[in-house]
Amino acid sequence: MASTQKNKTSARTKVRPAGFPTRDQVMEFITTSDTPAGKREIAKAFGLKGQEKIALKALLKDMADEGLIDLGPARAFHKMGGVPKVTVLRIVDVDDTTLIATPEKWEAEGQPAPRLRVVERGKRGALTIGDRILARTEEAGKGWVAHPMKKLAKASEELLGVVEQMADGKLWLRPVDKRIRKDTPISDAGDAKPGDLVLAEPHGRPPRISARVTDILGDPFAPRSFSLIAIHKHGIPYVFPDRVEDEAVAASALPLHEDKREDLRHLPIVAIDPVDARDHDDAVWAAPDEDAGNAGGYKAIVAIADVSYYVRPGSALDKEARKRGNSVYFPDQVVPMLPHELSSDMCSLRAGQDRAAMACHLTINAHGKVTAWRFTRAVIRVAAVLAYEDAQAAMDALSTVRPEPVEGPSFSSKKDRGFDKLSPNGVDLVDASLKPLWACWALLRKAREARDPLALDLPERRVVLDEFGKIVSVAVRERLDAHMLIEDYMIAANVAAAKALEAKKAPVMYRVHETPGRDKLVALKDYLATFDIDFALGQVIRPATFNALIKKVGESEEKEQIMTQILRSQTQAYYSPQNMGHFGLALGSYAHFTSPIRRYADLLVHRALVGAYGLEMPAPKDKAIPDRSSLSQDDYENMGRVGEMISGHERRAMEAERETVDRYVAAFLAAHVGEIVKARITGVQNFGFFATVDGLGGDGLVPVSTMGSEHFFYDEAGKALQGVDSGDRYTVGQRLELRLAEADPINGSLRFELPDSPAPRGGPMKRDRTRPGVVHRGRPKNIRHIGSKRGKHKR
């Protein structure tokens, strides 16, 4: 057989004419061509015609049979084990600031798909993990690089959903994303059972798409599964590689070098955090300034965990932290930016334990202005970790309990009042810590009021779970003075960090919030006009402009809906080395410094301060840990790219957190389907309006098809639906009672009906499995549209 094959090859070789390219010449052309090298391109390059093309076809087949070349997409040849010159890639990872991509199709047996470094040109940050690109590729050194030519539409991705079984025994995949309005038949369930949360691959072509289960994630109603849904849906890294965990253990063993740090262990510094906080990265202290030149002023210290000492540039810890960008906080768990060895242990400012800190010393005058600041690496020992509610209760008690001398009551009397944490080792922290902190905050508040930042007091939901992960309640977080106190100290430290770096002309990762764009301001002007409120577009827009609007509205029914529209008119904050100011806080320079355990941007600011102010510590004896804790050259060169990446990670985390809370709210409300609830309209479209349950949140639709047979006008400018005959008007922010028709914990969606709407014929709505995926689109029959320039109905 081998002899026969040899003879065939020899026969083909004999017909090759003189001047025919050798194998080496063909290989060189394929590997050096800037465009895909198919048979036609090779023939043209060597001037081959007629029988020569037939000979070329035979030669290429021989080379492929011998494993020298392979035929890739678009019928183009490439070196075996290599990558086509132009091919489709999928971005799968980030190495520091470099995107990593692999070929979308890779069929080389026994060879792993190559990992290509993506070289972006022009505007960077447009690409992220999961994107598909058409790219030109080339070998560089021992690897490959890809030059993106264009971004492609995303191909069919994995489906995340719950397995459901119908009466006929067939299995369907019910999506967890409420934006997907159709289920998918399952062609291969593997070991999955009805009720399992699974990942599946789509198969087939429209309209005959089916799902093949690839991974079983478990029970969607089990504790922590609601957050697990969001983690998988958004591709949030949640398992630390062994190398990162090992490095965290090694880093946590680094000596504090107390002799090289400022010793602040004698000060009664306290940490004030949420009662359910998993980590503590900031603590505060204040005292009257004894300097005669600052009469009536205060000195304050904002001490922040010295994370940059443990997480050093270029380390495995650093690369993993950059990939994550931030911690993600779910009601049932935290996906930390750093391993628990650091995030909830060595870098967490625990009471009574010596900890490394970056201390921001502030001098505040009698008008609340920060007149001076300095940064040091310090060692601190937090006197107490207090919940906001406990700190607030202690201060509130001062107005009802008879004042006592500074020496303070005994430990037992404090304990009897429920404030035993406030008297560690017999020290009265109310007098030693809280009173000075509140007095200093009164000055900072003066400066805040003079600055007049954007004041949108909108509620924040808090999901309370029991020890088994079951929902106890969903409530709005109470806004206390203790919250605002810590917020103002953190803002003061963040501003000081930005200005301290600017003074040294050092790089700064700014927190940027730009002025609202004209398009959004025009939309806000049109909306306010429906309430007979004038809004001049020609004026200089400041936060005070919006605050004046809110004050003008007063406590009327429209206040909350107008505040909501003002919020929607704002731009989204982001991170950048280019300073554009912070519009919402009315600040010219602002950076995040106070949460390096959970935000990568803060870690970069700490590193910049270490380098700018000579705060480096002795190099670790463990040579596996990098020597420096200041910014590396890579940090310097990639500040812009990193800013774009971590801004994207922040948006991802916010969406995942919001969706998870929505799922918990839907699970909580599932027991109340059919009941009348108090609600508020959050959005209006031509097909109906969206509403949220007061005090709980969640978002559900009232379809216009359920609102009776009356025709409705859709007022786009006024964001309202109005009945033609009745004049009934439904507008954003309006409060009303609705009947809860559906609550779906899997995707977090709700559906409401008007209280007087007739119940659907035949009971609750059922999915029509005879016509899967059929969605009725277009404007409902009882809707007429009113554009933004006409038909502005006034109340």
Side-chain angles (χ1 to χ4, degrees), residues 7-49:
N7 290 338
K8 287 182 179 179
T9 302
S10 179
R12 282 198 297 262
T13 304
K14 290 179 182 178
V15 301
R16 291 170 190 163
F20 193 84
T22 65
R23 292 174 178 230
D24 290 341
Q25 289 173 322
V26 171
M27 180 66 78
E28 183 181 5
F29 176 77
I30 290 174
T31 55
T32 59
S33 174
D34 289 334
T35 58
K39 185 178 68 174
R40 180 181 300 174
E41 287 74 23
I42 298 172
K44 184 176 181 180
F46 291 99
L48 305 182
K49 298 178 181 179

Side-chain angles (χ1 to χ4, degrees), residues 223-249:
R224 297 176 55 166
S225 281
F226 284 163
S227 57
L228 194 63
I229 291 173
I231 287 168
H232 282 280
K233 178 185 173 185
H234 293 280
I236 296 171
Y238 70 105
V239 176
F240 286 103
D242 291 342
R243 181 186 174 196
V244 175
E245 293 277 14
D246 293 342
E247 192 173 281
V249 172

Side-chain angles (χ1 to χ4, degrees), residues 527 531 533 550 552-564 679-681 694 729 731-736 795:
Y527 178 74
F531 296 98
I533 298 175
I550 297 169
K552 184 177 181 180
V553 173
E555 297 303 319
S556 65
E557 289 184 3
E558 295 84 7
K559 180 179 180 180
E560 191 167 348
Q561 65 197 78
I562 290 175
M563 287 174 64
T564 300
R680 177 174 56 85
I681 297 176
D694 274 348
R729 186 173 173 85
T731 186
V732 172
Q734 179 181 339
R735 295 183 183 278
L736 73 172
R795 302 183 67 181

Side-chain angles (χ1 to χ4, degrees), residues 710-715 720-724 727-730 793:
E710 182 180 13
H711 284 278
F712 283 82
F713 281 112
Y714 172 49
D715 182 354
L721 287 173
Q722 183 163 327
V724 175
D728 291 345
R729 186 173 173 85
Y730 301 95
H793 294 273

Side-chain angles (χ1 to χ4, degrees), residues 411-441:
F411 179 85
S412 60
S413 65
K414 278 283 184 182
K415 186 173 182 179
D416 292 340
R417 281 162 50 185
F419 306 131
D420 53 300
K421 284 187 178 181
L422 294 169
S423 300
N425 303 317
V427 177
D428 182 0
L429 292 183
V430 173
D431 287 322
S433 300
L434 297 189
K435 281 185 179 179
L437 280 170
W438 251 258
C440 180
W441 174 55

Side-chain angles (χ1 to χ4, degrees), residues 272-585:
I272 304 177
D273 278 312
V275 67
D276 55 354
R278 280 89 158 181
D279 49 58
H280 310 283
D281 51 13
D282 61 81
V284 289
W285 170 87
D289 193 350
E290 298 177 356
D291 187 342
N294 190 26
Y298 272 74
K299 286 191 175 295
I301 295 175
V302 177
I304 306 300
D306 190 2
V307 177
S308 63
Y309 178 63
Y310 299 101
V311 183
R312 297 176 177 236
S315 64
L317 275 169
D318 179 47
K319 292 177 181 178
E320 184 68 19
R322 185 181 288 187
K323 180 190 291 187
R324 294 177 179 230
N326 49 257
S327 297
V328 187
Y329 291 84
F330 297 110
D332 51 16
Q333 67 171 316
V334 174
V335 179
M337 184 179 78
L338 302 173
H340 290 290
E341 190 76 27
L342 294 176
S343 63
S344 55
D345 190 0
M346 190 51 66
C347 289
S348 187
L349 305 183
R350 295 179 171 179
Q353 298 186 18
D354 291 355
R355 286 291 185 262
M358 184 76 79
C360 173
H361 294 257
L362 301 170
T363 301
I364 300 156
N365 68 16
H367 303 290
K369 182 179 179 181
V370 177
T371 57
W373 53 79
R374 65 184 178 91
F375 290 85
T376 65
R377 269 183 153 158
V379 56
I380 68 170
R381 185 180 298 154
V382 169
V385 175
L386 307 174
Y388 284 113
E389 294 79 4
D390 291 341
Q392 188 67 55
M395 293 303 295
D396 290 345
L398 295 178
S399 60
T400 58
V401 177
R402 181 170 55 83
E404 295 163 323
V406 173
E407 296 80 62
S410 66
F411 179 85
S412 60
S413 65
K414 278 283 184 182
K415 186 173 182 179
D416 292 340
R417 281 162 50 185
F419 306 131
D420 53 300
K421 284 187 178 181
L422 294 169
S423 300
N425 303 317
V427 177
D428 182 0
L429 292 183
V430 173
D431 287 322
S433 300
L434 297 189
K435 281 185 179 179
L437 280 170
W438 251 258
C440 180
W441 174 55
L443 302 182
L444 289 174
R445 190 167 50 182
K446 283 184 185 178
R448 182 188 184 97
E449 291 170 352
R451 206 172 67 242
D452 203 8
L454 188 59
L456 295 176
D457 188 15
L458 295 170
E460 179 186 354
R461 292 174 294 169
R462 177 171 175 255
V463 176
V464 181
L465 307 176
D466 64 17
E467 58 183 315
F468 305 107
K470 301 298 182 182
I471 308 166
V472 175
S473 66
V474 182
V476 175
R477 289 184 185 270
E478 187 179 4
R479 180 77 164 159
L480 304 172
D481 282 352
H483 291 103
M484 293 183 279
L485 174 141
I486 293 299
E487 182 180 295
D488 282 335
Y489 277 107
M490 298 304 112
I491 290 173
N494 287 336
V495 172
K499 291 187 174 181
L501 290 172
E502 289 173 345
K504 291 286 188 177
K505 295 184 172 17
V508 186
M509 183 62 80
Y510 291 100
R511 179 63 167 177
V512 177
H513 182 223
E514 297 187 51
T515 303
R518 180 173 177 81
D519 289 347
K520 289 190 174 183
L521 292 177
V522 169
L524 179 63
K525 173 183 171 65
D526 291 341
Y527 178 74
L528 292 174
T530 65
F531 296 98
D532 292 328
I533 298 175
D534 292 329
F535 183 74
L537 293 177
Q539 64 183 315
V540 176
I541 302 297
R542 299 187 178 91
T545 308
F546 297 114
N547 292 340
L549 277 175
I550 297 169
K551 186 176 181 181
K552 184 177 181 180
V553 173
E555 297 303 319
S556 65
E557 289 184 3
E558 295 84 7
K559 180 179 180 180
E560 191 167 348
Q561 65 197 78
I562 290 175
M563 287 174 64
T564 300
Q565 288 305 123
I566 291 174
L567 177 63
R568 290 176 178 176
S569 72
Q570 304 301 304
T571 60
Q572 191 163 33
Y574 61 93
Y575 294 105
S576 173
Q578 304 299 321
N579 187 18
M580 302 292 288
H582 198 292
F583 175 81
L585 292 175

